[in-house]
């Protein structure tokens, strides 16, 4: 789950698996649209929310593959998967 701050300043945690898309609003906030049709406006910008989602996905992959959170990963194939930057795929 990722931590986001709502407009009123309260914190909530979202399951990143149910996020459909993230869009910037004209006021500098962003709307997080969920797969069930709802949305939440948060005080972060969309690149920040996207980075939080990316970090959580990487952490999940590390847990699944038993990879240490270290640049000296033993398996080079897993290291390559976990270090792909946005836009490289």
């Amino acid at each position: 789950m990722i931590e986001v701050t709502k407009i009123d300043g309260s914190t909530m945690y979202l399951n990143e698996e149910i996020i459909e898309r993230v869009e910037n609003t004209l006021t500098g906030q962003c709307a997080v649209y969920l797969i069930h049709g709802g949305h939440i406006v948060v005080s972060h910008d969309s690149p920040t929310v996207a980075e939080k989602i990316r970090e959580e996905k990487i952490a999940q992959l590390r847990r699944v593959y038993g990879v240490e959170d270290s640049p000296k990963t033993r398996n080079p194939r897993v290291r390559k998967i976990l270090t792909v930057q946005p836009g490289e795929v």
Side-chain angles (χ1 to χ4, degrees), residues 4-70:
V4 294
T5 304
K6 298 192 303 185
I7 304 173
D8 66 4
S10 63
T11 300
M12 72 178 300
Y13 295 87
L14 283 176
N15 180 344
E16 77 285 345
E17 296 292 328
I18 65 166
I19 296 173
E20 179 182 304
R21 70 184 188 274
V22 180
E23 296 179 357
N24 281 329
T25 66
L26 296 175
T27 60
Q29 300 154 339
C30 83
V32 179
Y33 291 88
L34 309 174
I35 59 174
H36 59 69
H39 74 281
I40 300 164
V41 178
V42 298
S43 61
H44 308 285
D45 59 1
S46 59
T48 300
V49 175
E51 182 61 24
K52 287 177 180 249
I53 294 168
R54 182 178 166 279
E55 288 173 359
E56 180 59 26
K57 297 281 187 185
I58 289 171
Q60 288 175 1
L61 286 172
R62 288 187 188 283
R63 287 190 297 271
V64 167
Y65 289 108
V67 178
E68 296 175 12
D69 194 9
S70 165

Side-chain angles (χ1 to χ4, degrees), residues 66-89:
V67 178
E68 296 175 12
D69 194 9
S70 165
K72 297 182 179 181
T73 304
R74 290 186 183 153
N75 185 336
R77 286 180 51 207
V78 173
R79 183 173 55 237
K80 177 64 178 167
I81 291 169
L82 297 177
T83 58
V84 171
Q85 296 297 314
E88 287 184 354
V89 179

